[in-house]
Amino acid sequence: MLLLIGGLALFLIICYFIVQRSRWVKNVPCVDVKHHDQASQIVDVRDYNNLSTMTISDAIVIPIPYLKRYYHEIPSKKVHVIAGSQLEKNIGVRFLRKNGFDVTGYSLAECTCSSHSKNMVL
């Protein structure tokens, strides 16, 4: 019986962390990269293989696996994140916020967001 309760507790803890990772980030607007805040630095967190779509010349490219190692090379505390998916966006925005950056907006490679601006809600 004790083994069953321990296994169930472990399963619930793992599920909690999986859900936390994929939850939407609050108060970060989806903004077309052409209309982003000019005072913010563009940070591209997509994988190197996905950079062929929507390349930006003045963006700093730091894929998610390298973000922990190279985030200190981002010159500005205000950033605009370019991601390939919602999951990459969530991980990147959470990490940058945790390390003191002000994320002013994001752009997704598959969504141009040119006609709208949306806030993601928890």
Side-chain angles (χ1 to χ4, degrees), residues 60-116:
I60 295 176
V61 179
I62 306 175
I64 291 292
Y66 299 100
L67 199 56
K68 186 175 182 180
R69 189 180 310 158
Y70 294 109
Y71 76 91
H72 63 276
E73 294 182 4
I74 302 171
S76 173
K77 285 294 182 179
K78 291 178 102 179
V79 296
H80 179 90
V81 175
I82 298 176
S85 67
Q86 288 286 344
L87 183 60
E88 280 183 349
K89 185 254 318 178
N90 292 341
I91 294 171
V93 168
R94 281 197 184 103
F95 180 84
L96 290 170
R97 280 183 170 176
K98 187 174 92 173
N99 288 290
F101 289 92
D102 177 24
V103 181
T104 59
Y106 73 91
S107 301
L108 294 177
E110 68 259 7
C111 173
T112 59
C113 300
S114 61
S115 63
H116 63 284

Side-chain angles (χ1 to χ4, degrees), residues 6-57:
L8 183 61
L10 181 63
F11 176 73
L12 290 175
I13 290 170
I14 291 171
C15 288
Y16 172 76
F17 284 113
I18 289 172
V19 168
Q20 280 296 101
R21 182 178 175 192
S22 62
R23 283 177 58 188
W24 287 352
V25 178
K26 190 174 183 179
N27 296 328
V28 179
C30 178
V31 180
D32 186 44
V33 73
K34 297 173 188 130
H35 304 295
H36 79 282
D37 181 13
Q38 296 301 319
S40 63
Q41 174 65 49
I42 299 174
V43 178
D44 195 339
V45 296
R46 294 179 291 165
D47 190 10
Y48 290 120
N49 296 334
N50 299 332
L51 291 177
S52 62
T53 61
M54 195 173 77
T55 57
I56 307 298
S57 61

